[in-house]
Amino acid sequence: MVKNNKTGFFSIKLRDEKMELDIIGLVSACSYALDCIEAELVHVTNRHGKRVAYISVCMAEKFGITGEALQDLAMCALLHDNALTQYISEEVRHDLIKDQTMDISSKKLGVHCVYGEQNIKKLPFYTDVTNVILYHHENADGTGPFRKKWEEIPLFARIIHLCDTIDIIGNTGGYDQQNWEQAKAYLVKYENTIFDAECVKAFLEVFSEEKFADMGGEELEKRLWEKVPRKKQFCDEGTCKDLADFFAQIVDYKSEFVERFPELSLFYRLFSP
């Protein structure tokens, strides 16, 4: 039996009591939902997850990351802030109600990394992605939330950390020449302090002003999927339930947000009691 939802985010094929799932398609849908929720809660411009993923997979070429590992990197990048909404709800929301001017970044930055690391343990990765989400805010010189230096930080986490920062710079005023120059200057200034030299070199070799400008365009998602493999996986009942639990942990299936994204609601209801 084959069943496809109309959005094209995932397909389901049964074989020997297992389902063939486009895991990264589901993750992409989740990333989009998270971006929209964060846009409402903290006014973050959406598509942040996809831009971070695109920059990450472009940089991956310089590190020889391909195939299943590249798909895992893209999944981690898409979900690098998977627990930010959870963090806002559980740790920050009451403070925000009291003080609408509070800067969320001034709170304990590592908390959402801990939540996020726990959340992704439910996902079926091809490679070992331990500590990628946990350490994606660590600085090269050991001044991050967990005081880990660059040699203690997984490469995927180091890549995502740099890409996250680049997208924030681009979002500040657009992906134009001025911000391109600002991004380059920022990386050079903080090489070996915030960012490790390998990642700075990889980014500057891969990206140009023109490629940077393209990140603000409508073709971003198309270019992302041209680079990332969409290898499907056959998942047993336990894995399917873990996936459902993952999405439920991030976005309550009863909430108004999931009603806007039927691919998440459908998947959850397939496996929920």
Side-chain angles (χ1 to χ4, degrees):
M1 181 187 78
V2 178
K3 182 178 181 180
N4 293 293
N5 76 325
K6 64 181 180 179
T7 63
F9 281 110
F10 64 94
S11 63
I12 300 176
K13 182 189 295 182
L14 294 181
R15 179 198 290 175
D16 299 328
E17 298 184 352
K18 291 186 178 181
M19 286 189 173
E20 185 184 44
L21 300 178
D22 178 6
I23 302 296
I24 199 165
L26 285 165
V27 166
S28 176
C30 185
S31 172
Y32 177 62
L34 280 169
D35 283 346
C36 291
I37 293 168
E38 290 171 19
E40 295 194 24
L41 291 176
V42 294
H43 310 296
V44 175
T45 303
N46 64 20
R47 295 206 303 171
H48 171 64
K50 288 188 174 68
R51 285 193 298 271
V52 172
Y54 177 69
I55 305 169
S56 296
V57 298
C58 289
M59 287 178 58
E61 298 173 5
K62 288 296 179 179
F63 293 102
I65 301 169
T66 59
E68 294 175 350
L70 185 65
Q71 181 168 315
D72 284 352
L73 171 60
M75 284 178 59
C76 288
L78 286 165
L79 295 175
H80 70 281
D81 280 337
N82 76 80
L84 184 58
T85 307
Q86 179 184 354
Y87 170 58
I88 293 169
S89 298
E90 295 183 11
E91 303 288 341
V92 181
R93 196 164 192 169
H94 294 303
D95 292 333
L96 280 173
I97 293 172
K98 294 177 183 178
D99 182 6
Q100 295 296 320
T101 65
M102 186 188 75
D103 180 3
I104 291 178
S105 65
S106 68
K107 306 294 285 186
K108 296 179 180 178
L109 192 60
V111 174
H112 87 276
C113 299
V114 173
Y115 288 163
E117 179 76 14
Q118 292 298 317
N119 287 344
I120 69 162
K121 288 180 179 179
K122 298 178 183 294
L123 299 181
F125 289 95
Y126 290 105
T127 61
D128 184 4
V129 296
T130 302
N131 294 335
V132 171
I133 302 301
L134 183 64
Y135 292 156
H136 81 274
H137 278 302
E138 293 303 287
N139 295 329
D141 63 358
T143 58
F146 301 102
R147 301 295 188 264
K148 299 293 183 181
K149 293 187 177 181
W150 75 270
E151 62 268 22
E152 302 174 274
I153 305 167
L155 176 59
F156 284 10
R158 288 152 47 200
I159 291 173
I160 292 170
H161 179 40
L162 184 148
C163 298
D164 191 17
T165 304
I166 290 297
D167 188 52
I168 291 171
I169 293 174
N171 265 321
T172 301
Y175 296 88
D176 55 17
Q177 180 183 6
Q178 181 178 347
N179 273 342
W180 167 242
E181 296 298 332
Q182 181 183 346
K184 289 194 298 180
Y186 192 84
L187 292 182
V188 171
K189 180 178 180 180
Y190 291 106
E191 183 176 340
N192 293 319
T193 53
I194 295 179
F195 314 108
D196 67 276
E198 289 181 347
C199 286
V200 172
K201 180 181 178 182
F203 176 83
L204 293 177
E205 288 182 354
V206 169
F207 273 82
S208 61
E209 180 182 339
E210 181 181 1
K211 199 167 185 176
F212 181 78
D214 286 344
M215 290 197 302
E218 296 299 320
E219 297 294 311
L220 173 74
E221 188 166 352
K222 178 183 176 182
R223 289 194 295 273
L224 172 62
W225 298 129
E226 287 173 349
K227 288 184 171 291
V228 179
R230 295 288 291 268
K231 185 175 180 179
K232 297 180 181 179
Q233 300 182 48
F234 280 95
C235 303
D236 59 20
E237 181 180 357
T239 302
C240 289
K241 287 186 178 295
D242 283 343
L243 284 164
D245 288 343
F246 170 77
F247 292 115
Q249 181 70 33
I250 296 174
V251 186
D252 181 359
Y253 78 102
K254 298 175 184 176
S255 78
E256 61 180 293
F257 300 112
V258 176
E259 291 177 4
R260 302 176 199 172
F261 308 104
E263 61 277 2
L264 295 180
S265 180
L266 171 61
F267 184 79
Y268 186 90
R269 288 171 185 139
L270 280 171
F271 305 110
S272 60

